[in-house]
Every structure is written in structure tokens, then in C-alpha cells.
Amino acid sequence: MKKSSLKKSILASLAVVPLAALLVGCAGNAGTADEAENETVKIGVVGASDPYWETYVDAAADEGITVELVDFSDYNQPNPALAEGEVDLNQFQHIIYLAQFNEANGEDLVPVGATAIYPLGLYSTQYESVEDIPDGATVAVPNDPSNLARALLVLQSADLITLKGGGSTYSTVSEIDESKSRVKVTELDPTLTATSLPDVAAAIINNDFITDSGLEAKDAIAQDDPADPNALPYVNIFAARAEDKDNETYQKLVEIYQESKAVTDGVVENSGGTAVMVKTPVEDLVASLKSVEEQIAEQG
């Protein structure tokens, strides 16, 4: 899910990030490498026109797998299509988005492979480093639920604030321990954090809005670390129906995405250099999904 994508909210930030789309086709329950030959798999994405998808389709064809991309216009469509069997896989979201869909709809879609994470960054036009930000200064964060929590975790990792209990994927500003925090935090609409930079010491900016500030992704003075366990729920994934979690053809398609340099270079370029390609073990993705689902259930 795009970091913006991951950045327009869990339901869209999970769209915080550059996401993908699918077409309908049935890979069935192929279970061997031989069965992958000449097989057609429909993958739902949001943004099939992104150049790297053509590269990916060609790479899959070289391995004897025909991929049909089914392009959806928004993030609300690919998961229902997958659940209904209209597509075989989808690739457009991070774990938190999938968890919310499963919990809201009683579904059991599962991650079958990691793709990339789009780090959420802290930017400033006044200070060159986190250390330069003075005590008591104000930092802006996006106010949409998924990005708010993630932004607070970024600020905590940068030692600008302390969250009571260590924070979670559902943290709010009410959890900030002001006595142990260096800065004050103000919430703004995600579209406004970039344009607020002249008025605040720094701001967490969703990837989609970085250019609005006249900055580039490389200008971030802090961001979440893809290796940090707190960032795991924001890893973008290939998702499948639970009964297809061990499908070898689907596993091969994940491998092609992860191992093809032309594909991964294309993903990074398409993201403006923000994407960090990851190969998180599937068991870790599944454990993270379960954990987030449990948190959602407890809150609901």
C-alpha cells in the first residue's frame, strides 16, 4: 500500500503508498511448478498503468505464467473482488488495510508475500536534523487514523515524543506523555501538512504530498525504519484467499516480483525513490495480520 497510500488513511493510505490492480482469471489451486506452465492468473491492482507492471507481466510470461492485471479505480474494490473469486490475487495494500477489511467483512484473506514498504517521513524547511528542532517546538502530523498512529511512532523513534505504553498502530495524541516529550504535536488534514511547513518546526508528510512542499523524499530528516517491528503492519503485500495460501504458482509470482531487478527498480522509480523493497517471511506477515486483527477486535 503506498505510503501515502499508507498515507491517505488505513483505508486509503493503505493507500500510503503506490499500489496495484488485477484482472479476473482463475489460477485454481495449482500446486506444482509444472502446473504453473501456461497458467493464467488474474491479479487485482490499483494503478495498472504504472510502467513496472508491464515489466512484471513480461517477467511472469518468461516463467510460463500469464498474468492478467485487473485495474480497479479505488482501494475499496480489490478485496471484495478477491473474496468473491473474481481475481486470484491482489497487490495494492498493506497489512493494516487487509486486517480492517477482514474484520469488517468477516473474511479471511491472507498475505502470501511481501512487496515494499513506503516509509513515512518527517520533513522540515527550517531545520536540517531532528537534533536541531528546539524543545517545545510544534510538529504537524496527519489526522487520519492510520497515518496519525504511524506518524506518532515515527516521532517517538526520532526521540521527539514518548507514547504511554510504547504506542501501537492505533495510537492517538492523547497517548503522548508530554512530560517526557520534546515537542508539541498538532493534527492537520493530510493534504495540509506539507503546506504547513513554514509555520511549524517539522511535519510528517504522506508520500502523495511531498512535492507540494517543494521537497523530495530524500529530504526527510526522519522516517520509520522498515526493519523496525512497528513498521511491519505497513508492509505492502500480495493477498490471496485462505485456501490458496500454499499455491505454488502464487508463490512463484511473489518470487518474480521480489527477485526481478527490472521490476524492483521500476517500483522504486515509480515511487519517486520512496519504496523500500522487502522480503519479509510470510509467517511474519501472517502473525502481524493476526495481531492487528486482534487489536481491531478489542477496540471494536
Side-chain angles (χ1 to χ4, degrees), residues 79-87 107 241:
N79 279 333
L82 178 58
E84 293 299 321
E86 296 172 7
V87 296
E107 296 291 351
R241 292 179 292 279

Side-chain angles (χ1 to χ4, degrees), residues 75-115:
Y75 302 126
N76 294 319
Q77 299 172 328
N79 279 333
L82 178 58
E84 293 299 321
E86 296 172 7
V87 296
D88 303 305
L89 296 170
N90 68 36
Q91 200 281 290
F92 79 101
Q93 66 192 324
H94 52 52
I95 291 172
I96 291 180
Y97 192 91
L98 178 59
Q100 289 196 330
F101 173 80
N102 280 347
E103 286 299 300
N105 296 278
E107 296 291 351
D108 60 352
L109 302 182
V110 296
V112 293
T115 59

Side-chain angles (χ1 to χ4, degrees), residues 143-206:
N143 64 1
D144 56 293
S146 64
N147 285 310
L148 170 59
R150 189 179 184 187
L152 294 176
L153 291 171
V154 170
L155 297 184
Q156 178 169 254
S157 295
D159 294 325
L160 289 172
I161 66 170
T162 297
L163 295 168
K164 299 171 184 176
S168 73
T169 51
Y170 291 96
S171 289
T172 66
V173 293
S174 65
E175 296 175 37
I176 297 174
D177 186 334
E178 296 183 1
S179 67
K180 298 180 180 179
S181 299
R182 284 188 52 212
V183 300
K184 298 177 182 178
V185 175
T186 184
E187 299 177 66
L188 295 176
D189 185 278
T191 62
L192 299 178
T193 58
T195 56
S196 75
L197 282 176
D199 304 312
V200 296
I204 296 286
I205 304 175
N206 294 356

Side-chain angles (χ1 to χ4, degrees), residues 15 23 83 90 101 116 131 185 219 238 250 280-281 291 295:
L23 263 190
N90 68 36
F101 173 80
E131 291 73 22
V185 175
D219 296 321
F238 276 95
Y250 300 170
T280 310
S291 175
Q295 291 178 49

Side-chain angles (χ1 to χ4, degrees), residues 188-267:
L188 295 176
D189 185 278
T191 62
L192 299 178
T193 58
T195 56
S196 75
L197 282 176
D199 304 312
V200 296
I204 296 286
I205 304 175
N206 294 356
N207 286 347
D208 288 344
F209 308 117
I210 293 173
T211 55
D212 294 349
S213 65
L215 298 171
E216 299 179 22
K218 64 182 179 62
D219 296 321
I221 60 175
Q223 63 183 27
D224 45 10
D225 179 1
D228 188 324
N230 285 323
L232 180 55
Y234 300 101
V235 169
N236 284 273
I237 57 171
F238 276 95
R241 292 179 292 279
E243 62 265 30
D244 294 326
K245 64 182 179 65
D246 297 320
N247 185 298
E248 292 188 11
T249 299
Y250 300 170
Q251 293 172 351
K252 181 63 177 179
L253 286 171
V254 170
E255 179 184 334
I256 292 169
Y257 192 101
Q258 294 178 342
E259 301 294 339
S260 170
K261 188 174 187 302
V263 173
T264 57
D265 286 350
V267 173

